Amino acid sequence: QSNHGDLNNLGLRTLEFWIDNLSADFLFPILAQQSSTMGELMVSLTRHLHPAPYPYGLLCLRILGKLGGKNRIYMQDLMN
């Protein structure tokens, strides 16, 4: 949640790299160690979902797609 474009881009690309190269059995327990970490991540990713002129919308959509249905579990926990 930074206002600096390079920092946002670097963070999102790093997260995408981790999702691509680490197995889900290894990655999700690390992200879910604290109950708020995964929820904050999902909220931050959905805040960046904006149409085409916005530079991070497509990248965040790709990340959410690669996470599969895991993002729905944590978003439902936040809604309740």
Side-chain angles (χ1 to χ4, degrees):
Q1 295 181 1
S2 172
N3 292 330
H4 301 291
D6 292 340
L7 188 59
N8 285 338
N9 193 23
L10 179 64
L12 290 171
R13 298 291 295 176
T14 302
L15 179 62
E16 185 180 26
F17 178 78
W18 287 347
I19 292 169
D20 286 342
N21 294 307
L22 297 175
S23 70
D25 296 333
F26 180 75
L27 181 63
F28 288 117
I30 291 173
L31 291 175
Q33 281 179 351
Q34 296 179 2
S35 60
S36 64
T37 304
M38 196 66 162
E40 289 176 8
L41 176 64
M42 294 305 149
V43 168
S44 297
L45 287 173
T46 54
R47 283 185 186 159
H48 283 290
L49 293 176
H50 295 288
Y54 188 72
Y56 311 116
L58 183 60
L59 182 55
C60 288
L61 188 62
R62 266 197 333 247
I63 291 171
L64 288 170
K66 289 177 183 182
L67 289 174
K70 301 283 187 192
N71 58 348
R72 291 187 203 112
I73 296 168
Y74 295 102
M75 291 302 283
Q76 287 177 353
D77 289 343
L78 290 174
M79 295 263 201
N80 294 332

